[in-house]
Amino acid sequence: MTETAPFTPALPAYTETLLRAPEAARDARRLVHLATNVWGIHAVRDAAEIVVSELLTNAVLHARRDTVRVTVTRLSDDRIRIAVVDLSKVRPQIRCASSTEESGRGLGIVAALSGGRWGVDPLAWGKRVWAELSAEGESSE
């Protein structure tokens, strides 16, 4: 896990504020799908949709307030950053879920799909949890 992602305001991004509800995962996946299609970064789409689902699910389960903010940023021709901002200052942590637990694997999945390029940025009002995905070394669709 990386502690802080560099702030890059000039990069193209799609962002949406969503209700903090389980149904929002579908809308977050739609946003990722749209961004990867527009940018032609098809090789990361499936992994990115899983990552945004996991990050959003954590926010739905553990954050406060009624909304969360989802952002998909294009870092380069083959790399994106997915971020979920919520109003809780509690930092998420990877944990080892037992085989009988139904949850607790989300951040492990995020870490695996991002090659360990994920992190948490503390904010004055909450936090930003992000992950970077790259199509490097993969073939495009």
Side-chain angles (χ1 to χ4, degrees):
M1 177 176 85
T2 307
E3 284 300 314
T4 303
F7 181 67
T8 51
L11 296 174
Y14 286 85
T15 188
E16 192 169 343
T17 299
L18 302 172
L19 288 177
R20 191 175 61 84
E23 305 81 41
R26 178 190 66 237
D27 296 327
R29 287 189 301 272
R30 177 193 46 77
L31 185 68
V32 165
H33 191 90
L34 170 70
T36 56
N37 272 348
V38 169
W39 296 329
I41 308 175
H42 306 292
V44 299
R45 182 185 311 127
D46 291 343
E49 288 180 6
I50 294 168
V51 165
V52 78
S53 293
E54 295 298 341
L55 295 180
L56 188 74
T57 298
N58 280 349
V60 166
L61 292 173
H62 304 292
R64 306 178 331 207
R65 305 280 172 105
D66 295 335
T67 60
V68 295
R69 188 110 176 125
V70 176
T71 303
V72 184
T73 305
R74 182 178 181 177
L75 301 175
S76 69
D77 287 345
D78 66 351
R79 205 167 97 233
I80 64 171
R81 178 182 299 132
I82 298 167
V84 175
V85 175
D86 66 58
L87 299 176
S88 170
K89 292 187 176 190
V90 177
R91 295 175 62 91
Q93 300 204 1
I94 293 180
R95 64 185 200 96
C96 295
S98 73
S99 61
T100 59
E101 290 180 282
E102 292 184 16
S103 64
R105 295 169 185 83
L107 285 179
I109 292 169
V110 169
L113 291 174
S114 68
R117 293 180 314 268
W118 73 281
V120 181
D121 297 334
L123 305 171
W125 59 88
K127 67 180 171 302
R128 176 186 305 111
V129 184
W130 57 270
E132 292 183 6
L133 295 130
S134 175
E136 191 173 283
E138 298 179 23
S139 60
S140 295
E141 292 178 10

